[in-house]
Amino acid sequence: MSASPNAPASAAPPAGSAAWTVASIRRALESRKVSSRELTKDFYARIERENPRLNAFLALSPERAYSQADAIDARISRGEPLPPLAGVPAALKDVLNTRGTETTAGSRILKGYVPPYDATAIERLDRAGAIFLGKTNCDEFAMGSSNENSAFGPVHNPVALDRVPGGSSGGSAAAVAAGLAVVALGTDTGGSIRQPGALCGVPGMMPTYGRVSRYGLIAFASSLDRIGPFARTVEDVARVLEVIAGRDPLDATSADHPVPSYSAGLDASVEGLRLGIPAEYFAEGLDPAIRQKIEAGIGLLKKLGCVPTPIAMPHTAYAIPTYYLIATAEASSNLARFDGVRYGLRVPGATLGEMYRKTRGAGFGAEVKRRIMLGTYALSAGYYDAFYLKAQKVRTLIKGDFDRVFQQVDLILTPTSPVTAFRLGERTEDPLAMYLADIYTVTGSLAGVTGISLPCGKVCGTLPVGLQVIGPHFEEGRVLRLAHAFETAGGFEI
Ligand code: GLN
């Protein structure tokens, strides 16, 4: 606990659990310093202690976790080689279907739903030897920026328990930041990995659209949704990404593009990399204390031989309205399947129509209903051209900004969020203020490119700042290389 009675309480991880990485776990297992079962038990003990005040996990899956751990221990005793993520305790956002474990998407409408299958990303983690500790809290159907839209109560930020962890993957970010898991999966539709990563002080990566299969992800906005990793180090982000990435016949939008070994490329030089700094991301609304940290981060990269270059991205101002038209339109269509017939909650009614109405009325929360109404309106005959079609055209212009800029520079650097973690309840009454939390992340989502948020110092000694590094389509390797150089040079603690 905090030394000063006035400082906000925090749940910073003890040195022991924070020290675990994919590589150090592997070494400890191979030298038999610890067994996978013992390590799993330690993590559950810590979850039991910390989760009541964090609310990061919604469901735990000890049966599956211990059987995965025992399988790893059996391989070790037989002297067999270990898979890439052997024994690594992982937390999984609750929008990812997980065989045999309740999966709710943070919604009452899916309370009690137990999927019969694993999402592809989950299955790949399983095959790679990861240990599934449980499912993490999130905004309902991944709609939100603070985790306060979860039907099961908000997550508390481990760095300051009276503050939000960001959203919508707040549970995954908080679990890693508090040392309750070594790696986690989140999803990012408009910023939901990068922004909670920034607010909790851990790296979080959005891969290129199509890089990771979406099969088994409960859809929010299908043309924007991505699955990606959180970890405490860039190397671990790379190690998880190289496991989950790649073509999947079960998702026609997954790309048939080779998956390099991201972890093997981390140490290559960053000298001479041209870093675009877009003026539009440093304008009004950016907390000056964040600006100062980001500028220090850019200064550090300059010392490493990178070349910061001013760039213009003139369509940035249209990104928030464009995103909220497209995302809500797709959500209204995707969420039509939750009708009381196929999954989860059913509230009986005298007629079929009444059953639908009552189920959806009781099952969905206020923000989800707001978005279904907005999206249905934007798609309705007579308004489609004015709203949805127009938004698609502006999306193309925003993507054009990225295409043009990536002819001149190798990567783009921006703040991840205009503000640090705000207080729980501070923005819940004003959906528009909440939507602005994503002002620097929705652009990359609309353009389909890849981005990572990296810790870049703290404001007032406690509140983490996030530096966003954006790369062209399928250039995750370049993004991670710069991120690793930044981390190695001390950028996380700048
Ligand atoms: N906060 C944004 C929204 O509410 C982004 C959510 C996300 O990326 N899933 O839509």
Side-chain angles (χ1 to χ4, degrees):
M1 291 301 280
S2 172
S4 141
N6 296 325
S10 77
S17 74
W20 288 117
T21 61
V22 173
S24 70
I25 288 173
R26 189 181 195 84
R27 280 196 300 274
L29 291 175
E30 280 174 347
S31 61
R32 308 205 183 193
K33 284 214 176 75
V34 71
S35 71
S36 182
R37 177 169 271 268
E38 284 162 356
L39 188 64
T40 305
K41 216 170 139 216
D42 282 358
F43 273 85
Y44 275 128
R46 186 159 166 76
I47 291 172
E48 220 160 89
R49 241 181 6 254
E50 297 298 335
N51 198 54
R53 50 196 192 137
L54 293 177
N55 200 24
F57 282 91
L58 292 177
L60 300 177
S61 47
E63 241 177 71
R64 187 156 182 195
Y66 285 117
S67 91
Q68 288 169 320
D70 290 345
I72 296 294
D73 288 334
R75 286 173 92 137
I76 294 169
S77 64
R78 290 196 298 266
E80 287 171 17
L82 292 180
L85 299 178
V88 175
L92 311 169
K93 186 180 183 181
D94 206 28
V95 291
L96 295 158
N97 276 305
T98 315
R99 178 169 36 84
T101 303
E102 184 182 22
T103 298
T104 65
S107 180
R108 261 189 308 275
I109 211 162
L110 280 173
K111 186 74 198 135
Y113 172 64
V114 178
Y117 73 107
D118 280 332
T120 296
I122 302 286
E123 195 203 310
R124 290 182 179 184
L125 276 191
D126 187 28
R127 258 192 283 142
I131 308 296
F132 296 170
L133 297 172
K135 308 303 292 292
T136 53
N137 202 349
C138 56
D139 285 299
E140 185 174 8
F141 288 102
M143 298 176 188
S145 307
S146 68
N147 236 282
E148 292 165 296
N149 295 333
S150 166
F152 309 112
V155 175
H156 296 255
N157 192 324
V159 303
L161 294 172
D162 58 341
R163 294 183 184 257
V164 303
S168 62
S169 314
S172 289
V176 170
L180 307 189
V182 174
V183 301
L185 289 188
T187 61
D188 193 311
T189 302
S192 279
I193 292 176
R194 294 162 288 160
Q195 186 256 14
L199 272 45
C200 291
V202 292
M205 185 165 207
M206 170 185 75
T208 304
Y209 184 79
R211 179 71 298 187
V212 176
S213 165
R214 289 179 295 110
Y215 179 74
L217 161 63
I218 297 172
F220 161 14
S222 307
S223 77
L224 296 157
D225 294 344
R226 335 266 179 91
I227 299 171
F230 292 97
R232 298 185 67 87
T233 65
V234 171
E235 179 179 333
D236 283 1
V237 169
R239 289 194 184 278
V240 174
L241 183 63
E242 65 202 17
V243 161
I244 62 174
R247 169 78 186 155
D248 171 19
L250 298 173
D251 173 6
T253 64
S254 69
D256 198 1
H257 197 91
V259 181
S261 169
Y262 297 119
S263 56
L266 291 176
D267 289 321
S269 164
V270 297
E271 223 182 301
L273 278 181
R274 295 159 304 169
L275 309 177
I277 316 293
E280 293 81 359
Y281 289 66
F282 291 82
E284 202 193 327
L286 174 62
D287 177 341
I290 295 184
R291 169 198 287 265
Q292 194 228 321
K293 288 287 174 193
I294 299 297
E295 284 171 354
I298 295 170
L300 176 68
L301 289 165
K302 203 169 159 185
K303 281 204 204 112
L304 298 179
C306 299
V307 188
T309 312
I311 53 169
M313 304 195 76
H315 296 98
T316 304
Y318 307 110
I320 287 277
T322 304
Y323 169 82
Y324 278 97
L325 280 167
I326 292 173
T328 57
E330 293 184 17
S332 77
S333 157
N334 274 324
L335 269 57
R337 74 190 69 179
F338 301 103
D339 55 8
V341 177
R342 286 164 283 200
Y343 323 91
L345 181 75
R346 174 183 296 181
V347 182
T351 62
L352 184 64
E354 195 182 303
M355 189 276 283
Y356 287 159
R357 262 196 309 282
K358 284 188 164 169
T359 299
R360 288 167 69 83
F364 288 140
E367 180 64 19
V368 172
K369 288 179 186 164
R370 184 179 303 129
R371 293 198 189 196
I372 291 173
M373 286 190 282
L374 268 169
T376 306
Y377 180 78
L379 287 176
S380 56
Y383 292 109
Y384 178 95
D385 286 2
F387 294 116
Y388 185 71
L389 188 65
K390 185 66 155 262
Q392 289 291 18
K393 290 179 177 169
V394 181
R395 180 179 191 171
T396 303
L397 295 174
I398 291 167
K399 181 176 173 294
D401 279 357
F402 282 88
D403 292 344
R404 192 176 40 74
V405 157
F406 280 132
Q407 313 260 311
Q408 314 155 29
V409 299
D410 301 301
L411 296 164
I412 298 170
L413 255 51
T414 80
T416 306
S417 161
V419 294
T420 51
F422 41 93
R423 289 206 159 71
L424 285 153
E426 199 177 302
R427 292 188 174 203
T428 37
E429 294 313 309
D430 184 354
L432 279 181
M434 194 69 93
Y435 294 175
L436 288 174
D438 299 311
I439 191 154
Y440 303 144
T441 49
V442 293
T443 44
S445 301
L446 290 164
V449 295
T450 178
I452 195 171
S453 177
L454 300 172
C456 183
K458 291 185 174 130
V459 170
C460 310
T462 49
L463 299 177
V465 171
L467 168 70
Q468 178 173 226
V469 183
I470 305 174
H473 297 102
F474 299 106
E475 292 293 350
E476 282 78 6
R478 190 187 299 165
V479 170
L480 287 163
R481 178 153 57 99
L482 184 86
H484 187 248
F486 182 74
E487 178 185 20
T488 310
F492 285 13
E493 285 90 36
I494 209 158

